[in-house]
Amino acid sequence: MSIEIINGDITALEVDAIVNAANRSLCGGGGVDGAIHRAAGPELLAECRTLGGCDTGAAKITQGYQLAAKYIIHAVGPVWYGGNKNEEELLRACYRACLELAKDYQVETIAFPAISCGSYRFPIEKACEIAIEVIKDHLLEERNLKVLLVCFEDKISRTYSRILDKK
Ligand code: AR6
């Protein structure tokens, strides 16, 4: 099964699609969202403005503009409020929505940041487990898809490695 953990900046990857950890406005922000908008250039914001925002747990796709990636899949993860606001299911839905879009657009390689693990404060262990569970499930049907889990923090790459080794 093709899941690879890599460290570094998602904006530099030569893949078919990178995923953005966006907010509901889809109009940019900090963290990985800010980095992607800076690297892709202003045409990205122009396209995002036509999309009418995005619900939490859902995703929308745009072109990659100045990125090497052909597409950007903008996913809106949940803010962690303590666990009683359906956060885990929303994060699951978010990963599923990205993978469905990837399928619709014939994406062969997709790179994910750790959605909701920064400003949105999702517990890292839980978020990594959800990501791997949903991706593994999807890979049972989409055997040719290659998935990169891109880590900007050591703690996240260590957590992914541990979970992947265990399963
Ligand atoms: N490449 C890969 N991963 C990165 C990069 C990068 N260039 N930069 C940061 N990360 P966050 P969220 C990691 O806060 O929690 C934004 O303002 C980062 O270390 O970017 O889903 C949006 O507009 C962390 O592990 O996203 C929203 O308002 C992970 O990406 C809000 O933040 C996610 O951190 C979304 O919050």
Side-chain angles (χ1 to χ4, degrees), residues 8-11 21-23 28-33 35 113-121 150-153 156:
D9 180 2
I10 201 168
T11 66
N23 58 56
V32 69
D33 194 7
I115 301 169
S116 287
C117 288
S119 318
Y120 283 0
R121 308 180 313 266
V150 185
C151 308
F152 218 52
E153 297 159 66
I156 293 178

Side-chain angles (χ1 to χ4, degrees), residues 95-103 110 112 134-135 138 145 147:
Y95 277 95
R96 278 195 212 108
C98 295
L99 292 163
E100 282 306 312
L101 274 173
K103 185 175 164 188
I110 182 170
F112 283 94
V134 175
I135 290 165
H138 187 85
L145 181 68
V147 179

Side-chain angles (χ1 to χ4, degrees), residues 10 13 15-20 36 40 44 47 60-65 67-74 101-111:
I10 201 168
L13 298 180
V15 291
D16 296 328
I18 65 166
V19 173
N20 181 15
I36 288 172
L44 173 60
E47 182 175 357
K60 292 193 177 176
I61 193 164
T62 66
Q63 293 185 61
Y65 298 101
L67 298 182
K70 184 167 183 201
Y71 299 114
I72 303 167
I73 297 175
H74 305 265
L101 274 173
K103 185 175 164 188
D104 294 345
Y105 283 77
Q106 280 100 44
V107 164
E108 290 177 0
T109 309
I110 182 170

Side-chain angles (χ1 to χ4, degrees), residues 1-6 131-137 139 145-149 160 164:
M1 209 176 258
S2 190
I3 304 180
E4 200 181 320
I5 301 163
I6 61 169
I132 287 173
E133 183 189 301
V134 175
I135 290 165
K136 277 192 161 178
D137 239 31
L139 287 174
L145 181 68
K146 182 166 184 196
V147 179
L148 305 180
L149 297 172
Y160 277 140
L164 277 177

